[in-house]
C-alpha cells in the first residue's frame, strides 16, 4: 500500500524537480539531459575487484544525477523510475547491445536488495529501474526482459561507510542463483544491472554467482577467457573518476 500511495501521490500532486528543485516539474529538461545517456561510458573502479565484468554507466554520480537517484531510492519517488530506466537502457546500449533481428534476447539481471531494505523503502529500486529499462529497450527494438535470477543466501552488513576491501569481504559468497534461476535467464544474453557502482564489489559478486551456476557456457575458464567473458553489466551512474575517459557533459 505504501508503494501504491507514493506512486499515486507523485503522479497527481505538484512536485519540484528531483534533481535541481525547479518548480512544478518531476525532472526538468536540464536534469533529464544529465540522465540522457549522452555521457555513457566504460567505468573501471580502482582497485578493480577480481571477476568484475565490463561495466557501462550512463552518467557520473554527482549533482542532479545523484539527487534523482537518492530521491527514487531512499525517498520513494517512484515515478522517477522512468527517467532512470531510460538512463540504464542507454548504458546497456553503450555496452554493445544493438537493436535488430537475429541478435537474441537480453535478460537484465538486477542485483537483489536485502528484504529488510525493501521493507524499509517500500520498493526494490534496482528491480524497478530494470523494469523501466527493459520497456525502453523493447521500444527501441531490443527484445529485453527482467530476469530476477539472483538472491541473497546470507545476511550482509550495510555497505555504507565500508571501503573497497571491506565491501568485498562483506559480500563474498553472499549471492546465489535462485532455484529455477537458469530457467528465468532462458538462454538470453545476461546483463547485470544496478543503480550505482562504486567499488564494483557488488557486481563482481553477482558475476561470480552467475558464473558459478553455469549460466554462461565456458564461464569456468574465468572472466578473461571463453564465452563467460561476454558477461556485461550496466548501471545508471558511477563516480566521475572511475570512467575510463572523462564523462562528457550533456548539452544544455
Amino acid at each position: 500500500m505504501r508503494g501504491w500511495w507514493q506512486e499515486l501521490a507523485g503522479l497527481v500532486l505538484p512536485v519540484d524537480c528531483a534533481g535541481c528543485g525547479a518548480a512544478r516539474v518531476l525532472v526538468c529538461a536540464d536534469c533529464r539531459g544529465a540522465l540522457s545517456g549522452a555521457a555513457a561510458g566504460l567505468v573501471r573502479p580502482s582497485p578493480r575487484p577480481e571477476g568484475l565484468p565490463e561495466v557501462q554507466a550512463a552518467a557520473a554520480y554527482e549533482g542532479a544525477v545523484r539527487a534523482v537517484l537518492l530521491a527514487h531510492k531512499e525517498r520513494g519517488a517512484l515515478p522517477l523510475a522512468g527517467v532512470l530506466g531510460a538512463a540504464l537502457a542507454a548504458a546497456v546500449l553503450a555496452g554493445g547491445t544493438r537493436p535488430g533481428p537475429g541478435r537474441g534476447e537480453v535478460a537484465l539481471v538486477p542485483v537483489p536488495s536485502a528484504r529488510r531494505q525493501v521493507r524499509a523503502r517500500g520498493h526494490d529500486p534496482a528491480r524497478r529501474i530494470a523494469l523501466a529499462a527493459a520497456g525502453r529497450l523493447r521500444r527501441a527494438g531490443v527484445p529485453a526482459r527482467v530476469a530476477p535470477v539472483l538472491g541473497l543466501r546470507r545476511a550482509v552488513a550495510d555497505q555504507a561507510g565500508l571501503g573497497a576491501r571491506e565491501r568485498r569481504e562483506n559480500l563474498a559468497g553472499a549471492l546465489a542463483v535462485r532455484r529455477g534461476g537458469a530457467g528465468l535467464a532462458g538462454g538470453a544474453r545476461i546483463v547485470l544491472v544496478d543503480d550505482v557502482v562504486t567499488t564494483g564489489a557488488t557486481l563482481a559478486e553477482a558475476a561470480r554467482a552467475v558464473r558459478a551456476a553455469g549460466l554462461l557456457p565456458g564461464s569456468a575458464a574465468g572472466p578473461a577467457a571463453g564465452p563467460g567473458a561476454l558477461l556485461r553489466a550496466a548501471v545508471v551512474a558511477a563516480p566521475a573518476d572511475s570512467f575510463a575517459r572523462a564523462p562528457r557533459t550533456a548539452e544544455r
Side-chain angles (χ1 to χ4, degrees):
M1 287 296 291
R2 176 189 173 192
W4 174 85
W5 173 249
Q6 286 173 325
E7 190 152 11
L8 179 62
L11 289 172
V12 301
L13 297 178
V15 295
D16 293 337
C17 174
C20 67
R24 299 184 66 82
V25 60
L26 182 66
V27 182
C28 73
D30 281 353
C31 293
R32 282 185 182 275
L35 284 158
S36 67
L42 180 68
V43 294
R44 294 172 177 157
S46 181
R48 181 184 178 92
E50 182 180 356
L52 181 69
E54 180 179 293
V55 184
Q56 297 283 337
Y61 186 59
E62 59 190 12
V65 172
R66 180 177 184 274
V68 172
L69 277 163
L70 289 178
H72 175 261
K73 185 173 188 174
E74 303 296 350
R75 299 199 297 278
L78 304 185
L80 294 173
V83 68
L84 294 173
L88 181 60
V92 173
L93 293 172
T97 298
R98 291 290 180 267
R103 293 184 180 270
E105 190 175 29
V106 174
L108 304 183
V109 175
V111 171
S113 297
R115 289 182 180 178
R116 67 180 183 277
Q117 292 175 327
V118 174
R119 287 194 300 267
R121 292 169 177 155
H123 72 125
D124 186 334
R127 185 168 181 177
R128 183 175 289 273
I129 294 171
L131 288 167
R136 178 60 68 100
L137 289 168
R138 289 193 297 271
R139 290 192 292 275
V142 177
R145 57 187 170 83
V146 175
V149 165
L150 297 172
L152 283 162
R153 64 180 181 183
R154 64 169 176 81
V156 296
D158 190 339
Q159 297 273 76
L162 299 182
R165 181 177 60 81
E166 290 82 8
R167 289 188 179 213
R168 290 195 299 271
E169 292 173 351
N170 183 42
L171 288 166
L175 297 180
V177 170
R178 300 174 187 268
R179 182 177 298 177
L184 291 174
R189 289 176 292 154
I190 291 176
V191 180
L192 302 173
V193 297
D194 205 352
D195 54 356
V196 179
V197 62
T198 50
T199 67
T202 302
L203 287 173
E205 170 58 17
R208 182 209 59 77
V210 166
R211 292 182 178 118
L215 298 190
L216 299 168
S219 60
L230 299 178
L231 179 62
R232 301 187 187 279
V235 298
V236 174
D241 62 1
S242 68
F243 280 76
R245 65 172 183 267
R248 300 183 303 277
T249 301
E251 292 184 5
R252 297 301 176 102

